[in-house]
Amino acid sequence: MSTRAPAVEARQLIKTYPGDVTALNGMDLTVGAGTVLGLLGPNGAGKSTTVKILTTLARPDSGAATVAGHDVLRHPDRVRRAIGVVAQKSGADPVATGRENLVLQGRLYGMRGAAIQSRADELLDRFDLADAAGRQVKGYSGGMQRRLDVALGLVHRPEVLFLDEPTTGLDPEARTAMWDEISRLAGDEGLTIVLTTHYLEEADRLAERIAIVDRGRIVVEGTPDELKGELRGDAVHMELRTDGDRTAITAVLTGVPGVYEVQADGRRVSVRAEDGAAAVPVLLTALEQAGASVAAATVARPSLDDVYLRYAGRRFSEAEAADGRQTSAPVAAGGPR
Ligand code: ADP
């Protein structure tokens, strides 16, 4: 654990919009310096409003926040110098080249001369855009544009980077490439990253800590493993070659150490186990002894969607539908690992 002061701290943020829309309803947030926090929630949960306040683009009705040690309300200019923001909508000039965009961005932050050129080269290299540096951005693929957006956010070497839905709209290959790049940034540069996403899989993969947002506040926060661990253990699903004797199977499996929640129904037998992989051979032996032969067994980890369901009281997809703004993007749950 880092002993540095948190890079982001927000306390009891409240924000309402005209028409009595409560966007934030007591948002509390702490992001450790040099860590990646995933703000995860369905559309309308309040993620963008949180980011707008932290990046000084909106003011809360009440509450307080500091970013990189600066108060967002008292010293917005200092906050702006310390952060990089990669919005959902690209800020790049489509008719300028990738390099021109980077140089212009550097100038906006007061960089000059050789320093700006070498920073542009470094970023073009790092984001695999060196070959395309002299081409107009409007000819870039979606993945290239997104990589340039992230590079633009980093020109002035910010301490905290805000990434709003960094892979929405990207094809799977470009999404994986972007994930690799974000992981590297976090690891190599000690950058603090606040990532908003409605992809469960993205949060699981990139964030050291995940804060699940629902109806304008955090409903639960922890590491991806802590959150999934709250669902206790693995699910082991087994298929029998023939219908089993339910009572006998339940009795024998309930006696296996570390196994609970036994469900037997015809050929299908499911249990929860503290360690699914370790339990499988023991379960198979126990079933054979009870006269049942197993055709197939799978071990699945609980998904973040299960966690979301438990804390928000509804499924991700239900929350988005209820908000009336169904997303076109698929919601990927953390599947078996
Ligand atoms: P998310 O980023 O999680 O999708 P938002 O922060 O954009 O959520 O929105 C939170 C709530 O505030 C939603 O109900 C949304 O409709 C509402 N909202 C956001 N921006 C505005 C605005 N400018 N005017 C009115 N309502 C808004």
Side-chain angles (χ1 to χ4, degrees):
M1 252 337 252
S2 164
T3 53
R4 289 153 75 192
V8 176
E9 238 179 338
R11 288 291 156 255
Q12 286 299 304
L13 296 177
I14 307 268
K15 176 79 179 176
T16 50
Y17 286 112
D20 220 17
V21 177
T22 304
L24 296 185
N25 189 18
M27 171 68 64
D28 280 318
L29 200 62
T30 303
V31 189
T35 67
V36 182
L37 176 90
L39 267 183
L40 176 69
N43 279 330
K47 306 181 299 292
S48 298
T49 304
T50 305
V51 168
K52 275 188 199 147
I53 290 171
L54 296 176
T55 57
T56 79
L57 296 175
R59 293 173 68 92
D61 302 343
S62 63
T66 59
V67 175
H70 309 297
D71 188 299
V72 295
L73 293 173
R74 268 181 290 168
H75 300 292
D77 46 336
R78 292 185 199 168
V79 171
R80 275 178 227 137
R81 274 196 295 273
I83 62 172
V85 182
V86 182
Q88 268 185 61
K89 202 165 172 296
S90 173
D93 177 354
V95 296
T97 67
R99 172 183 293 281
E100 284 165 353
N101 268 287
L102 287 165
V103 168
L104 180 64
Q105 182 81 358
R107 288 210 184 105
L108 291 176
Y109 280 99
M111 296 168 73
R112 294 279 172 267
I116 209 168
Q117 295 298 337
S118 70
R119 183 63 175 158
D121 282 336
E122 190 185 327
L123 289 166
L124 288 164
D125 237 25
R126 126 156 260 163
F127 287 92
D128 206 12
L129 292 168
D131 292 345
R135 280 164 36 203
Q136 285 186 326
V137 170
K138 64 181 180 190
Y140 283 16
S141 70
M144 289 163 76
Q145 288 201 16
R146 220 58 197 119
R147 298 206 300 278
L148 178 65
D149 288 336
V150 178
L152 287 168
L154 291 171
V155 167
H156 59 297
R157 301 180 196 279
E159 289 173 56
V160 183
L161 184 69
F162 290 89
L163 289 173
D164 199 2
E165 308 267 350
T167 66
T168 296
L170 295 186
D171 61 49
E173 199 180 325
R175 171 169 298 146
T176 308
M178 182 58 93
W179 283 345
D180 290 345
E181 197 47 61
I182 295 169
S183 301
R184 220 171 304 148
L185 274 176
D188 298 354
E189 312 222 333
L191 195 65
T192 304
I193 299 179
V194 179
L195 166 92
T196 69
T197 182
H198 60 237
Y199 291 113
L200 297 162
E201 187 190 357
E202 181 159 284
D204 192 8
R205 169 125 175 211
L206 292 179
E208 284 157 85
R209 300 189 72 79
I210 294 177
I212 295 184
V213 189
D214 193 53
R215 300 178 173 107
R217 56 187 192 89
I218 305 293
V219 289
V220 62
E221 200 255 338
T223 66
D225 279 343
E226 274 167 9
L227 295 184
K228 287 189 277 189
E230 295 213 25
L231 294 162
R232 284 189 68 214
D234 298 324
V236 183
H237 303 289
M238 288 158 291
E239 200 183 320
L240 307 180
R241 290 190 201 282
T242 53
D243 282 5
D245 175 343
R246 193 169 160 179
T247 315
I249 287 172
T250 307
V252 74
L253 294 189
T254 305
V256 176
V259 166
Y260 47 94
E261 286 179 33
V262 177
Q263 289 180 320
D265 183 13
R267 289 190 189 193
R268 291 196 310 187
V269 179
S270 296
V271 304
R272 287 285 205 146
E274 297 296 347
D275 181 343
V280 167
V282 187
L283 289 166
L284 298 194
T285 309
L287 282 169
E288 303 243 317
Q289 280 166 2
S293 161
V294 177
T298 55
V299 177
R301 294 291 308 271
S303 74
L304 280 174
D305 200 30
D306 297 321
V307 179
Y308 186 79
L309 174 66
R310 173 159 163 190
Y311 286 95
R314 50 186 180 163
R315 291 208 168 272
F316 227 78
S317 48
E318 287 164 1
E320 304 219 304
D323 200 59
R325 294 196 293 156
Q326 188 101 40
T327 171
S328 56
V331 174
R337 302 193 301 197

